[in-house]
Amino acid sequence: MKIAIVGAGAIGGYVGAKLSLAGEDVTFIVRGANLEAIRRNGMKLIMEDGSEHVADKAKATDNYRLAGPQDLVVLALKAHQLESVADELHHLLGPETAIVTMQNGIPYWYFHKNGGALEGSHLKMVDPTGKISEKIPASRVIGCVVYPASELVAPGVVRHFEGERFPLGELDGSHSERVLRISECFVNAGFKAPVLDDIRSEIWLKLWGNLSFNPISALTHSTLVDICQFPLSRELAAALMTEAQTIANKLGISFRVPLDKRIAGAEKIGKHKTSMLKDVEAGRALEIDALVGSVIELARLTHTPTPQLDTVYALVKLLGKTFEEERGQVQLQRVA
């Protein structure tokens, strides 16, 4: 398949490298130091066993028009970055191009073909202006949940820590020819990519942990095992997850894992820093609205009280605002 990977960070680099090494025609759409490194040396992948692989046949460009129409586009950016690429994405789209979205949290397309009372509702937390929905049509989207953990350790170099599962699903639950083809492509590259009947339930299962552990870790600088083994933070995480479960249940979502088992699973991961904590330490923008704000928006749509989520959202939102102001001050000092 002719595949464009938009973004070559921890997940985009991992997915694109594996697909390229499996013989797919991969082009990374990327900028800056990553672009130069991939052009010069290919995308390097360091696996959890220490083995190193270089996808030296993968192409890289920052020009969407030059890359041209693809069979598949993988959006490997964070949710708050989608709007920044929306205007250029049409250059990658041919008549049959599918788009796999790999964002954490509630996706902008959540109410497309969901068949519920809120069918067609627009989520302002993840698509404030409506540009994403307009420029990245949900009709092209294949939903995906990202379970692997990896890290961009240098430009053009990704280290994989664990996991290989990328469940896929059509938004209407069908097993279409295109989703089966994409699943086969991913499996050939060494991933586990089952086609699910209900991709939204899988999204909620991962989000269940993200909406609780990510903000708590960002606010306390604590790892998963720290949060789970400290009684007060474990209790808070359970309260956040309980509120979220109530919302999800109203939307017709059922969880295949009990709440206690979900927390125990996070505890077993050990001294792992969440993605939001890593963003805090690196001074990057935080995924607040996709992971927490969107759930609160769903709470309002379903008339569900969320006092714990509201409190944590306010705190982590202030943290994000403080970081943004600090970054702005640093930039002004550099200009001066």
Side-chain angles (χ1 to χ4, degrees):
M1 296 179 74
K2 192 175 182 183
I3 303 171
I5 309 290
V6 182
I11 295 302
Y14 172 52
V15 171
K18 292 272 284 184
L19 288 170
S20 178
L21 290 165
E24 306 297 346
D25 182 2
V26 172
T27 300
F28 288 103
I29 310 295
V30 65
R31 299 176 299 178
N34 249 351
L35 172 61
E36 297 307 316
I38 298 170
R39 279 179 169 172
R40 185 171 58 251
N41 303 316
M43 174 58 78
K44 184 177 181 179
L45 179 60
I46 305 171
M47 296 301 292
E48 55 188 312
D49 62 2
S51 62
E52 298 185 2
H53 311 268
V54 178
D56 53 9
K57 293 183 180 178
K59 300 181 287 292
T61 182
D62 57 359
N63 188 319
Y64 289 72
R65 187 188 299 272
L66 187 63
Q70 307 285 313
D71 298 315
L72 173 64
V73 174
V74 175
L75 292 180
L77 302 170
K78 292 186 176 180
H80 59 265
Q81 297 172 321
L82 287 182
E83 188 169 328
S84 67
V85 305
D87 283 330
E88 293 294 315
L89 204 69
H90 67 96
H91 294 300
L92 304 178
L93 305 180
E96 304 297 327
T97 306
I99 300 173
V100 168
T101 54
M102 290 190 171
Q103 286 68 54
N104 285 325
I106 298 294
Y108 73 93
W109 49 258
Y110 189 86
F111 288 115
H112 179 78
K113 290 189 176 181
N114 75 315
L118 294 170
E119 169 83 36
S121 295
H122 173 235
L123 292 172
K124 293 182 180 179
M125 280 290 180
V126 287
D127 187 12
T129 67
K131 178 188 280 191
I132 298 172
S133 299
E134 177 190 353
K135 300 290 186 178
I136 311 177
S139 60
R140 292 185 180 268
V141 167
I142 302 293
C144 179
V145 181
V146 176
Y147 283 110
S150 56
E151 183 179 1
L152 185 72
V153 295
V157 183
V158 167
R159 180 182 295 276
H160 173 252
F161 295 109
E162 63 166 352
E164 54 193 13
R165 193 163 179 265
F166 291 90
L168 302 166
E170 286 279 8
L171 307 194
D172 62 0
S174 65
H175 286 221
S176 65
E177 182 180 343
R178 68 176 185 175
V179 73
L180 293 173
R181 185 185 177 201
I182 294 167
S183 173
E184 181 181 6
C185 174
F186 274 45
V187 169
N188 288 341
F191 301 123
K192 294 178 180 177
V195 177
L196 305 183
D197 297 331
D198 184 5
I199 192 65
R200 290 175 182 82
S201 287
E202 197 72 17
I203 285 171
W204 271 100
L205 183 60
K206 184 181 181 187
L207 175 60
W208 213 13
N210 281 344
L211 65 84
S212 53
F213 298 124
N214 270 270
I216 293 173
S217 69
L219 292 165
T220 64
H221 289 237
S222 300
T223 67
L224 287 178
V225 70
D226 298 325
I227 294 168
C228 294
Q229 291 185 351
F230 185 64
L232 294 177
S233 53
R234 187 186 186 100
E235 183 179 340
L236 176 58
L240 296 172
M241 294 169 75
T242 299
E243 289 183 356
Q245 186 173 17
T246 301
I247 300 164
N249 289 162
K250 288 183 178 181
L251 292 170
I253 299 297
S254 57
F255 291 82
R256 58 181 172 83
V257 176
L259 190 151
D260 288 344
K261 188 174 180 180
R262 182 68 177 86
I263 293 178
E267 184 176 357
K268 286 179 183 177
I269 295 174
K271 290 280 186 179
H272 173 76
K273 294 181 179 180
T274 68
S275 60
M276 193 176 287
L277 176 54
K278 289 178 181 177
D279 287 341
V280 165
E281 293 178 342
R284 294 188 292 258
L286 308 182
E287 288 182 284
I288 302 169
D289 288 333
L291 298 185
V292 186
S294 61
V295 179
I296 292 174
E297 185 173 0
L298 292 177
R300 302 298 175 263
L301 289 172
T302 56
H303 309 289
T304 308
T306 51
Q308 304 281 8
L309 279 166
D310 293 349
T311 300
V312 169
Y313 177 71
L315 293 174
V316 77
K317 195 72 173 175
L318 176 58
L319 178 65
K321 178 178 178 291
T322 301
F323 282 162
E324 185 177 350
E325 290 173 350
E326 289 176 351
R327 286 195 300 271
Q329 291 173 358
V330 169
Q331 290 173 353
L332 285 174
Q333 291 171 358
R334 287 175 179 171
V335 171

